[in-house]
Amino acid sequence: MTYRIERIGRTDTDWERLREVRLAQLLDTPMAFLETHGAALAHGDEEWHSRIRRVNEPGSVGLAAVHDGDDGDDGDDDGAGSGEWVGTMIGFTPEPGTALLVGVWVHPEHRGRERGVTDSMLDAIVAWARETGARRLLLTVHEDNARAAAFYRRRGFEPTGGTKPYPLDPAARELEMALPLA
């Protein structure tokens, strides 16, 4: 299988693709996100356009993993707008020296170290974070999302000890993890 990582917002239809992926994310791993499927389904087109604009503001980046099919040759020189989005990662800089990773998801059929989709997206986010001057990359992971936490540990993230209530269920916790970038 062939994949490429591209910036979200390269085409006029990316808002539709983002909506489709977000709805799939919320059905697949609801604990990993801060909104419900029902709430996302109720958003109008302008909300999806707004999300595209936000990931393209200075200090932000939105990435999509795009599956091009088995041969990777779709006849499109730059690939923009072609292929199926099978994953996302979003980064932003809430304060100087710190980048935050959110919106992480890969479709179940495209998961696994052997495919390298999640690793490729994270490599691109780490490169972006370093370009912003960030000294660390932070994220939060739901305490029951062992699969995600194991991936982050494998990639060098360590728990900071910080926790906060999960907004959709305050009895559950989100655990903070950090990757030093220096």
Side-chain angles (χ1 to χ4, degrees), residues 83-135:
E84 174 190 8
W85 284 15
V86 298
T88 61
M89 281 192 189
I90 296 169
F92 64 94
T93 52
E95 60 189 54
T98 300
L100 187 62
L101 177 62
V102 299
V104 176
W105 180 77
V106 173
H107 189 284
E109 292 177 10
H110 300 273
R111 291 179 186 151
R113 193 182 303 189
E114 67 283 354
R115 287 192 171 89
V117 176
T118 314
D119 283 308
S120 293
M121 282 195 298
L122 185 57
D123 289 345
I125 288 285
V126 167
W128 164 83
R130 285 187 171 126
E131 288 172 11
T132 71
R135 294 179 303 280

Side-chain angles (χ1 to χ4, degrees), residues 35-99:
E35 72 179 327
T36 65
H37 184 266
L41 198 57
H43 293 316
D45 294 354
E46 181 52 37
E47 172 61 20
W48 300 105
H49 286 281
S50 174
R51 290 180 186 206
I52 294 291
R53 286 191 299 272
R54 279 194 307 264
V55 300
N56 284 285
E57 292 175 353
S60 299
V61 67
L63 301 178
V66 183
H67 177 238
D68 282 327
D70 292 330
D71 65 5
D73 183 12
D74 59 9
D76 189 355
D77 289 337
D78 71 359
S82 65
E84 174 190 8
W85 284 15
V86 298
T88 61
M89 281 192 189
I90 296 169
F92 64 94
T93 52
E95 60 189 54
T98 300

Side-chain angles (χ1 to χ4, degrees), residues 3 6 27-28 35 48 59 79 84 110 117 127-128 141 144 153:
Y3 301 94
E6 66 181 41
L27 287 175
D28 176 60
E35 72 179 327
W48 300 105
E84 174 190 8
H110 300 273
V117 176
W128 164 83
V141 62
D144 292 334
R153 279 192 302 277

Side-chain angles (χ1 to χ4, degrees), residues 118-163:
T118 314
D119 283 308
S120 293
M121 282 195 298
L122 185 57
D123 289 345
I125 288 285
V126 167
W128 164 83
R130 285 187 171 126
E131 288 172 11
T132 71
R135 294 179 303 280
R136 67 184 183 154
L137 180 58
L138 291 178
L139 61 85
T140 58
V141 62
H142 191 285
E143 64 188 347
D144 292 334
N145 197 343
R147 177 180 44 84
F151 167 75
Y152 297 129
R153 279 192 302 277
R154 177 174 68 78
R155 289 300 308 263
F157 285 84
E158 293 291 334
T160 67
T163 67

